[in-house]
Amino acid sequence: MQKSRTLSGVLLASGGAVLWGISGIFGKLLFEGPNTVTPAWLTAVRMLLAGGLLLLYSLTRHGNPLAVWRTPSTAIRQILYGVLGLLPVQFFYFLAVDYGNASIATILQFLGPIVIALYYVIFKRQLPSRAEAIGMLLALLGTFILVTHGHFNQLVVAPLALFWGLMSALAIAGDTLLPRPLLPKFGSINVNAWGLLVGGVQMNFIQPVWVGVPQFTWQLAGEITVVVLFGTLIAYVMYSNSLLYITPTTASLLDAFEPLAATILSIIFFSIPFAWADAVGGILIVLAVVMLSLNVRPFKKRRK
């Protein structure tokens, strides 16, 4: 029975990670498609629709989604999470996908836990453990190999793709730390649902969903459905339910399927050349995050 429960948790967590990787691929298809879809417009649509659907899912599960708004302190933190946490993570990630590809964007965003470890070192005055120190060095080396292929005088990644990818990794810190006090009391689904909705409303001040609407085609509708339904809603639900069967540490280790899926699908869909340096750099970054996940530290990786 225990083995069956563990297997269920592993399949749910890895499946959710793969779906997150797939959402980046379909985002790239939308940006390069015949219709004009921008990262800002897709971010606004994704956050509003996925947030609303997650809220409906919570209601069907007899949740209490309004509870977070009954106390001013939790309401303010929920708003900050949506605006300063989920919104930049979502938007910066799609910008990195647009200027580069889903593989690079996902691998660079995977550096998020390294940023969080640095936060504890700099602002909490906590010296890094041996695992954290080694993980940071591996991440730095992996990023260098990934973006330069080992040559100091060249970048093989578009500068804007590198910039927005690193910004999305930086945004992971807010995405991780802001909701921490809310999660035990209100649950991951409720907190993420409201975070997506709040972020989506804020994104409409930057890019209203009714402005620049692309011409409707069934292909466009299908690709947006994959991003919103599979790459966001189902992925969140799968990952959250996996925690009923496995530990958060195990689930976070299975996040490695996200950059793996994004890389494999980028090669298949876009014929992106994949050099040995890409493999080495990506592996070093994933290994660095694995070391941090195994290390005891009072933070848990959050989703984009």
Side-chain angles (χ1 to χ4, degrees), residues 156-172:
V156 297
V157 175
L160 284 175
L162 174 60
F163 174 76
W164 289 118
L166 293 176
M167 287 297 293
S168 69
L170 184 63
I172 287 287

Side-chain angles (χ1 to χ4, degrees), residues 182-267:
L182 303 176
L183 295 172
K185 189 173 182 180
F186 304 109
S188 175
I189 294 295
N190 285 331
V191 172
N192 279 293
W194 284 117
L196 287 166
L197 280 173
V198 169
V201 170
Q202 176 65 27
M203 193 67 199
N204 270 266
F205 289 97
I206 302 171
Q207 170 63 67
V209 294
W210 57 87
V211 175
V213 180
Q215 183 180 0
F216 177 84
T217 65
W218 287 111
Q219 179 180 343
L220 176 76
E223 291 170 351
I224 292 176
T225 298
V226 170
V227 172
V228 173
L229 185 61
F230 293 95
T232 311
L233 173 65
I234 295 176
Y236 269 115
V237 172
M238 289 179 69
Y239 189 84
S240 296
N241 286 336
S242 74
L243 300 177
L244 299 174
Y245 308 108
I246 57 177
T247 65
T249 298
T250 302
S252 66
L253 293 177
L254 294 169
D255 281 342
F257 279 98
E258 183 181 352
L260 177 63
T263 298
I264 293 173
L265 293 173
S266 292
I267 296 171

Side-chain angles (χ1 to χ4, degrees), residues 4-304:
S4 176
R5 289 174 59 85
T6 301
L7 178 60
S8 297
V10 168
L11 291 176
L12 285 169
S14 56
V18 169
L19 289 178
W20 274 308
I22 288 175
S23 72
I25 295 295
F26 277 82
K28 186 67 172 178
L29 289 172
L30 285 163
F31 302 147
E32 294 191 347
N35 291 302
T36 304
V37 176
T38 65
W41 188 85
L42 183 60
T43 300
V45 169
R46 181 192 196 189
M47 297 188 77
L48 287 174
L49 290 180
L53 291 172
L54 269 179
L55 208 57
L56 289 175
Y57 173 80
S58 175
L59 288 171
T60 62
R61 295 291 295 261
H62 308 290
N64 188 12
L66 295 178
V68 71
W69 302 107
R70 291 174 182 161
T71 305
S73 60
T74 59
I76 291 172
R77 183 169 286 271
Q78 179 68 75
I79 292 171
L80 291 175
Y81 173 48
V83 174
L84 301 180
L86 276 174
L87 175 56
V89 166
Q90 302 269 336
F91 187 31
F92 296 164
Y93 172 73
F94 275 141
L95 285 170
V97 171
D98 187 27
Y99 286 110
N101 57 65
S103 174
I104 290 296
T106 306
I107 291 173
L108 290 176
Q109 192 182 62
F110 212 66
L111 290 166
I114 305 297
V115 176
I116 298 170
L118 287 172
Y119 166 83
Y120 276 95
V121 172
I122 296 171
F123 295 101
K124 299 295 185 180
R125 306 295 184 184
Q126 296 182 18
L127 291 177
S129 66
R130 181 181 301 176
E132 287 174 332
I134 295 174
M136 291 176 194
L137 291 174
L138 287 177
L140 182 63
L141 177 61
T143 304
F144 169 76
I145 293 174
L146 183 70
V147 302
T148 67
H149 283 191
H151 301 287
F152 286 93
N153 60 344
Q154 72 175 25
L155 275 178
V156 297
V157 175
L160 284 175
L162 174 60
F163 174 76
W164 289 118
L166 293 176
M167 287 297 293
S168 69
L170 184 63
I172 287 287
D175 186 48
T176 300
L177 300 173
L178 283 171
R180 277 184 58 207
L182 303 176
L183 295 172
K185 189 173 182 180
F186 304 109
S188 175
I189 294 295
N190 285 331
V191 172
N192 279 293
W194 284 117
L196 287 166
L197 280 173
V198 169
V201 170
Q202 176 65 27
M203 193 67 199
N204 270 266
F205 289 97
I206 302 171
Q207 170 63 67
V209 294
W210 57 87
V211 175
V213 180
Q215 183 180 0
F216 177 84
T217 65
W218 287 111
Q219 179 180 343
L220 176 76
E223 291 170 351
I224 292 176
T225 298
V226 170
V227 172
V228 173
L229 185 61
F230 293 95
T232 311
L233 173 65
I234 295 176
Y236 269 115
V237 172
M238 289 179 69
Y239 189 84
S240 296
N241 286 336
S242 74
L243 300 177
L244 299 174
Y245 308 108
I246 57 177
T247 65
T249 298
T250 302
S252 66
L253 293 177
L254 294 169
D255 281 342
F257 279 98
E258 183 181 352
L260 177 63
T263 298
I264 293 173
L265 293 173
S266 292
I267 296 171
I268 294 173
F269 278 87
F270 300 104
S271 301
I272 294 174
F274 197 68
W276 67 268
D278 298 312
V280 172
I283 289 171
L284 287 175
I285 290 172
V286 170
L287 181 60
V289 174
V290 167
M291 292 188 68
L292 289 183
S293 298
L294 290 174
N295 190 48
V296 177
R297 175 65 83 172
F299 68 81
K300 183 174 68 178
K301 187 180 172 190
R302 298 287 311 142
R303 297 312 316 171
K304 62 178 182 293

